[in-house]
Amino acid sequence: MARDILVTSALPYANGSIHLGHLVEYIQTDVWVRFQKLRGNRCIYVCADDAHGTPIMLKARAEGIEPEELIRRVGEEHQRDFADFAIGFDNYHSTHSDENRELAETIYNALDAAGHIAKRTISQAFDPDKQMFLPDRFIRGECPKCGTAEQYGDACEACGATYQPTELKNAVSVLSGATPVERDSEHYFFQLADFEDFLHRWTRSEHLQEAVTRKLDEWFEAGLKDWDISRDAPYFGFKIPGTDDKYFYVWLDAPIGYMASFANLCARRDDLDFDAFWKAGSEAELYHFIGKDIVYFHALFWPAMLEGAGYRTPTAIHAHGFLTVNGEKMSKSRGTFIKARTWLEHLPAEFLRYYFAAKLSGKVEDLDLNLDDFVARINSDLVGKYVNIASRCANFISKRFDGRLADTLDRPELFERFAAAADEIGQHYEQRRFAQAIRTIMALADEANAYVAERAPWQLAKEGGREDELQQICTTALALFAQLTIYLKPVLPETAERAEAFLNVEPLSWADLATPVSGTIRKFKPLLRRVEQPAIDKMLAASQEDLAAKPAPQSEPAQDAQTDAQPSKAPGKKEPDTQGAATDTIDIADFAKVDLRVARIEAADHVEGADKLLRLTLDVGALGRKQVFAGIKAAYDPAQLEGRLTVMVANLAPRKMRFGVSEGMVLAAGDSPHILSPDAGAAPGDKIK
């Protein structure tokens, strides 16, 4: 029975270009959606630009245009980039829409009527020059905990402390440089603690990944606090009903944008009913794909808002990790902060789709785009294995049999075995284990190539006299190629379309895995071409040139997608201070920069060619999995380590070694040395305090 499924990705913020870090999410979501459609399910994929907030207002002001003009221009750019990466939205909308205004007001009014909205006066930082209240990220000063300068108004990147902007020392406005003053203002709060019992149940009912549930436990332990959902004028957004100068905070109406985009689609399609997907008790499935940095909003505030307003809650929220390039944070100076459009100018979009899919799991793990590995994998898997099957056999069918395929297969049992892999590959796709799906598909491609090599149709053609056998062999190879095309279609939709045109068939579906292609094929044309290193080099150079041509504005802080301010920030990497002399002591502020975490050793292996190193795969809870090379070979047989807990430095900059990238350091002592192990009761990801 076909399923009804509604899927969303997090809304990109409408004040900047799409880059490769964003595309991890949209590619992951699109592959999953295409798989569902391929299986015959009714799967609707909606998204929108997140178009409200102070940064958009200020950027439009700096450009001398209205915010509406800015979000229109950026929205068009976003949609072009998504379309060229084959992201198949059923609808793409904007949070600055009538549908979103109406739904935001409906949900707010329902929460207010039920007693979940409180009003109270708070003291806020105010810029006397710009005559506006300052969001936390628009204030900088010295951390009140460790004294580090140039910290934002909500969290310290040096020691990880969180605080109120009014606690910053020597604070200044990022907008004007003026010293903020405190001014009182009445604000509106959503009383999240009203839903604590509901959220405890909901977050433990298979709606979330295990790592996300563990992370949420930290917030439950700290106590659920009221959420400030209002902002003072001037602000670009929707006014709160019944007020003259109060606006909904961007994070209130942003997730409602999912509902608004779907409502906009329903108004144009007679076969879709809004209530059937969103009202409480709906039997449809609802999935949100998001980055791990916005779990707080999606797994606590959002389900509580929906529950309180009488709507259904998500079936599941799927969080993913961040993107690194060549083992390091994306860098503008190195040219690895790559915009979507820059990639498209130098490389095919589907190559990135395939590489991301080949590395994505269903877990909250960071993903690394290693460009050397990228070139090798694309050329080996897609060109050397997949396309190679068709290119080796198609011309024999075209030239010797006028394109006509045989009525019988040379190895029907091989075709049946490829078809039988559907359940395993389908489960991998369903559970978002794309990397495992790709490994299984490429193992089949290896089998198909081995079959072609064994049967050597070129040799039969040269010998002559065995035409029926030659036709059956090549038909079998192309039948296997068609099956591989179906398996890869969620990842490579455009290549699949070209393959279908070559095979002269209607669009292939999952059900077609059981039936060999038949009839007459068209003349084969190369489906994909190899990646060459000069294209990579030019893309990196172009990314550096973009930076030189368009320096980042100094009048406003960097803005992550969809945020005015985050509830907390992880400590960031700081550049080393090379000006001071070395010393034998450090102060508490320096020590506070070290992020020590409990980690479970999932796997330990010898490193070929290394005398002292073991390769450790560490489970660090919500931080995902880390690979670490540790000089502890003298003390341990690797088998002794698997399953043990240890302590690692989690915020050490990745180090590229000749054996691979080491993403941290485990703590060890003694001459051997031996790893440090926490007491029983510690869990992966726990922070050492």
Side-chain angles (χ1 to χ4, degrees), residues 377-398:
R377 190 184 291 259
I378 295 300
N379 291 341
S380 172
D381 286 6
L382 296 185
V383 181
K385 295 181 181 180
Y386 166 60
V387 172
N388 192 48
I389 300 165
S391 66
R392 294 168 87 184
C393 299
N395 285 338
F396 295 115
I397 296 291
S398 295

Side-chain angles (χ1 to χ4, degrees), residues 120-362:
R120 62 175 178 268
T121 299
I122 64 171
S123 182
Q124 287 182 280
F126 186 84
D127 186 323
D129 288 357
K130 295 292 185 180
Q131 286 293 298
M132 62 178 287
F133 287 100
L134 293 169
D136 299 348
R137 305 292 283 178
F138 286 77
I139 309 167
R140 293 181 74 88
E142 297 172 10
C143 172
K145 310 293 184 184
C146 71
T148 301
E150 290 294 300
Q151 298 305 302
Y152 286 122
D154 59 347
C156 177
E157 293 181 337
C159 71
T162 58
Y163 40 74
Q164 295 300 315
T166 51
E167 297 178 75
L168 274 180
K169 298 176 182 177
N170 299 316
V172 296
S173 165
V174 171
L175 300 179
S176 67
T179 300
V181 297
E182 289 189 29
R183 186 168 293 184
D184 289 345
S185 176
E186 185 178 61
H187 272 233
Y188 293 66
F189 293 83
F190 175 48
Q191 296 177 305
L192 187 64
D194 292 354
F195 299 89
E196 184 166 2
D197 290 342
F198 159 75
L199 289 170
H200 263 295
R201 295 191 304 274
W202 190 85
T203 56
R204 287 159 177 78
S205 301
E206 299 184 351
H207 299 295
L208 307 171
Q209 295 133 298
E210 183 181 347
V212 173
T213 299
R214 289 199 302 267
K215 182 62 181 176
L216 293 179
D217 284 342
E218 298 177 16
W219 285 313
F220 281 119
E221 290 170 8
L224 300 181
K225 298 178 175 60
D226 289 356
W227 178 36
D228 189 344
I229 60 168
S230 61
R231 293 295 183 267
D232 293 281
Y235 192 80
F236 184 60
F238 296 143
K239 280 186 181 179
I240 296 176
T243 72
D244 294 324
D245 60 352
K246 306 293 180 183
Y247 291 79
F248 287 129
Y249 173 41
V250 61
W251 262 108
L252 181 127
D253 67 69
I256 297 173
Y258 302 141
M259 305 172 75
S261 184
F262 185 67
N264 177 262
L265 181 63
C266 289
R268 293 181 281 110
R269 281 183 48 172
D270 294 336
D271 62 323
L272 291 176
D273 177 65
F274 181 86
D275 288 348
F277 282 81
W278 282 104
K279 281 297 184 183
S282 167
E283 295 184 0
E285 301 170 48
L286 171 63
Y287 299 96
H288 300 310
F289 285 73
I290 63 168
K292 64 183 180 181
D293 55 327
I294 53 175
V295 161
Y296 190 84
F297 296 102
H298 281 80
L300 290 178
F301 295 139
W302 180 230
M305 286 168 54
L306 291 169
E307 175 74 8
Y311 290 97
R312 59 89 46 81
T313 52
T315 305
I317 295 172
H318 301 316
H320 61 81
F322 298 138
L323 178 70
T324 57
V325 179
N326 292 335
E328 298 181 325
K329 184 178 179 181
M330 292 192 300
S331 164
K332 293 180 179 178
S333 63
R334 289 189 296 270
T336 57
F337 191 95
I338 303 166
K339 293 180 181 179
R341 186 53 50 182
T342 307
W343 178 282
L344 291 166
E345 289 168 353
H346 296 88
L347 292 164
E350 286 195 318
F351 286 177
L352 187 69
R353 288 176 64 98
Y354 180 80
Y355 190 79
F356 280 177
K359 302 197 80 173
L360 277 164
S361 72

Side-chain angles (χ1 to χ4, degrees), residues 605-635:
D605 303 286
H606 291 291
V607 179
E608 186 174 346
D611 296 331
K612 299 180 180 180
L613 297 179
L614 293 180
R615 179 189 285 105
L616 306 180
T617 302
L618 304 177
D619 174 8
V620 201
L623 297 183
R625 281 169 177 72
K626 304 282 186 181
Q627 173 178 269
V628 172
F629 292 95
I632 57 175
K633 186 174 181 178

